[in-house]
Amino acid sequence: MTVLDVESVPFAHTEITPGAVAAATRVLQSGWVTTGPEVLAFEREFGAWVEAEQAVAVSSCTAALELALRAFALPVGSRVLISTLTFCGAAHAVVHAGLVPVLADVDERTQMPSARTTAEACTRAGGVAAMVVVHLGGHPAPVAELTAAAGLRAERVVEDAAHAVGSYDHGRHVGSASAATCFSFYATKNLPIGEGGMVTTADPDLAATMRRARLHGMSSDAWRRYLPGGSWRYSVEAPGLKANMTDLQAAIGREQLTHLAAWQNRRRALADRYDRGLAELPALALPARPADGGHAWHLYAVRVLTQDRDVLVGQLAAAGIGTSVHFIPLHHMPYFRAMCAAPEELRTADLVATQLLSLPLHPALTDRQVDRVCDVLATHLAARVVAPSTPIQRSTS
Ligand SMILES: *Cc1c(COP(=O)(O)O)cnc(C)c1O
C-alpha cells in the first residue's frame, strides 16, 4: 500500500468477492448468459433474505419502480406523490409510467416526508392516486403512517428500497407495508452487482404482471423458448419493457448475498464509530436513528449546521476524503421544476439541501479511516465554532 492509499478515504467502494468472480466465469462459460436458472435461484434466495413472498429480478431499481407503477394500471396522467429529496431515477420512473410526480417536502431530522408534509402535499395537489416512499439512506420510513396521511390504500404504494437492503421496521425487513418494494444492486449500493434490481411483493397477480412486463410483455417464462424442448410459442397482451436481469448478474448477486449479513454488521459498526467520533462536534447534526427499527446504513449523512457545506467538501477533498450529497432536490432540476409544485412550498428540503453531507461508508472502510475522517472534520469545524470571527477562517468561506 502506498502512503496515499493509507491516507485517502474513498467515498464508495464496490466489492466483488472471489466467489462472485468465479460464479460469473462459470456462467460465461456455460453457454447461457441471459435470464435463466441463475435468475430463478437469485429471486428465491433474495426473496427469502428480505422475507418477501414473490421476488422479480429486473435490470435496475429504476425499472422496478416503473414496472410496479405500471402494474397499478392507473389512468394516464394520475398524480404520484414522491419526496423531492430522492434520486431523479425514481421520478423518471413515475414519468415513464405515464404518471405525474407530485413533490413532497421533508422533515428536517430524517430528510424524508413526514405524515404532515405528505398530507400537505396531497391537499395542495387535490389528492394523489399513488405514492413512492423512499427509505432514505437506509432509515426505514413509516410506510403505513404515510399511506394513511396520503389517503391511500397500501395497494397504491411502492417502496423505493434502493438504500434499504437490510433495513428493518418493527422487526420485519422493510417491504411488507406496501404493494411492491424495489431494490437496487447498483455498484455502490449495499448489495452490489454492478447493475440490477428486484421488486418484491406479496401479491402473486402483481408479480405475474411485472414478470411479463419486464420482458417485452411476453407470456411468462418466454426465456425458456430457447431451452431444449422449449416451445417457440408466446403471446403478448400488454406493452412490456426490456428490463430483465441476466444470469451473469444473478450469479454475482447470489454469491454477494452470502456476504450481506457480515457487510451489514460492518456498516452498523462503522456508523456507531462515526456517532462516537463526531458526538462532540456541535457544528454537525448526526443522522437520525429509527425509534423501532433497523437502519441499513447505506449512507451516513450528517448536516453541516454552522459552516458552508461546500467549503467543507473542498477541505475534505484536499485531505483525500471523498464525500457526496444525497440528494439535490428534484425541484432544483429544470425538468422537474417545470412540472411540479412551486419551490417555496418545499422549504425544508431547500434548507437541508445546503447542509447535507454523506461521509464515506462501505464495508471495506477501516476503523482508522473513520477516525481520520472524524479528525479532519474536527480540525475544520472546531476552528470555526471556537473562533467564529477569526479573519483567516472567515476568508476561507
Ligand atoms: C440508486 C437509487 C435508485 C436507482 O437505482 P438503479 O438500480 O440505479 O436504477 C433509486 N432510488 C434511489 C433512492 C437510489 O439511490
Side-chain angles (χ1 to χ4, degrees), residues 60-62 86-87 134 160 162-163 184 186 189 196 327:
S60 69
C61 179
T62 304
T86 191
F87 183 58
V134 64
D160 179 348
H163 298 177
S184 174
Y186 180 68
K189 300 284 161 72
F327 289 95

Side-chain angles (χ1 to χ4, degrees), residues 267-353:
R267 283 179 182 274
R268 259 194 306 279
L270 292 166
D272 290 347
R273 195 171 186 89
Y274 270 130
D275 269 6
R276 289 194 301 274
L278 302 174
E280 306 300 323
L281 293 178
L284 296 182
L286 304 188
R289 288 187 172 247
D292 185 7
H295 197 305
W297 297 113
H298 172 58
L299 300 175
Y300 189 90
V302 299
R303 283 186 297 131
V304 185
L305 302 176
T306 61
Q307 177 166 333
D308 186 310
R309 187 264 323 269
D310 296 341
V311 170
L312 187 62
V313 166
Q315 290 165 331
L316 290 164
I321 296 167
T323 58
S324 190
V325 172
H326 298 85
F327 289 95
I328 303 166
L330 294 177
H331 67 280
H332 292 193
M333 320 272 182
Y335 177 70
F336 295 110
R337 194 187 193 89
M339 165 187 303
C340 304
E344 62 269 21
E345 289 159 342
L346 303 165
R347 283 196 199 89
T348 307
D350 288 336
L351 171 69
V352 299

Side-chain angles (χ1 to χ4, degrees), residues 81 102-106 113-128 149-150 341 344-348:
L81 194 74
V102 169
L103 303 182
D105 202 4
V106 298
S114 63
R116 184 179 62 75
T117 68
T118 295
E120 281 171 5
C122 289
T123 303
R124 217 171 44 228
V128 295
E344 62 269 21
E345 289 159 342
L346 303 165
R347 283 196 199 89
T348 307

Side-chain angles (χ1 to χ4, degrees), residues 79-83 100-104 118 121-122 128 130-133 150:
R79 290 181 292 265
V80 178
L81 194 74
I82 186 167
S83 173
V100 178
V102 169
L103 303 182
T118 295
C122 289
V128 295
M131 175 169 66
V132 177
V133 174

Side-chain angles (χ1 to χ4, degrees), residues 13-99:
H13 165 82
T14 302
E15 179 155 348
I16 301 292
T17 63
V21 172
T25 305
R26 177 167 48 72
V27 168
L28 286 171
Q29 292 171 342
S30 74
W32 190 277
V33 293
T34 184
T35 307
E38 293 285 342
V39 168
L40 291 185
F42 185 43
E43 287 178 341
R44 209 167 42 240
E45 290 161 10
F46 183 85
W49 209 93
V50 301
E51 309 166 85
E53 284 164 42
Q54 306 274 337
V56 180
V58 291
S59 54
S60 69
C61 179
T62 304
L65 289 162
E66 182 178 341
L67 285 164
L69 289 165
R70 281 177 178 270
F72 290 174
L74 299 168
V76 171
S78 297
R79 290 181 292 265
V80 178
L81 194 74
I82 186 167
S83 173
T84 192
L85 214 70
T86 191
F87 183 58
C88 62
H92 286 145
V94 174
V95 174
H96 289 304
L99 309 169

